[in-house]
Amino acid sequence: MARVEWSVTPPDAIEEVVGVLLCRENPDATRIKPSRGDGGIDVLVPASGAPRSIEVYQVKSFTGTLSAQQKLQIERSLKRVQTFCAEQNLTITAWYVTLPLTPTNETREWFLRLTEGVGFPCHWREPVTIPV
């Protein structure tokens, strides 16, 4: 498999490619076009057998080490999806932040603190873990 050099790939292209890969992995998935009303959802996957329940993928194009501003963007995305799903009477069965970045131990600890007690499983996914 060819290696993708994410650091030189335009952010919009990263988000599109990762979204397509996620849809290939999950045939029932739907990519959501970025807009003010997207609710922080880039890709949603209906939970099988559970009406109005979804898995949510938030795709970020960050490479290198996460900056404080990028962490804040992830935090805001998580809050947005929680608010949106509550307003739409949707249940989140899992939330994935998906970005072409391997976390450091410090970043992993930050993510665990961020997602602690949110009421649904939260995971960090790298595109390299998405089978094609």
Side-chain angles (χ1 to χ4, degrees):
M1 177 173 25
R3 179 181 165 92
V4 175
E5 185 52 58
W6 297 109
S7 63
V8 297
T9 305
D12 289 348
I14 290 174
E15 293 178 14
E16 183 174 351
V17 167
V18 171
V20 168
L21 290 172
L22 288 166
C23 288
R24 285 190 62 189
E25 179 184 85
N26 302 289
D28 293 331
T30 302
R31 289 178 53 221
I32 304 300
K33 183 177 181 175
S35 69
R36 287 192 185 271
D38 67 12
I41 300 171
D42 290 323
V43 176
L44 71 82
V45 181
S48 61
R52 305 205 54 80
S53 295
I54 59 172
E55 290 183 0
V56 175
Y57 290 82
Q58 175 58 228
V59 181
K60 297 293 186 189
S61 59
F62 310 143
T63 60
T65 303
L66 280 185
S67 68
Q69 182 62 31
Q70 291 168 330
K71 288 179 181 178
L72 185 59
Q73 285 184 40
I74 293 170
E75 291 171 20
R76 287 179 179 158
S77 293
L78 178 56
K79 286 183 176 122
R80 261 181 53 214
V81 76
Q82 289 175 290
T83 300
F84 177 81
C85 287
E87 290 170 351
Q88 298 297 315
N89 195 30
L90 295 170
T91 300
I92 302 169
T93 59
W95 182 75
Y96 300 88
V97 64
T98 309
L99 62 165
L101 175 65
T102 302
T104 62
N105 276 330
E106 294 81 9
T107 303
R108 189 180 59 79
E109 287 298 322
W110 163 81
F111 184 75
L112 291 173
R113 284 190 309 274
L114 169 67
T115 59
E116 185 175 25
V118 297
F120 46 84
C122 297
H123 307 278
W124 181 292
R125 284 210 57 198
E126 298 172 63
V128 295
T129 65
I130 300 169
V132 291

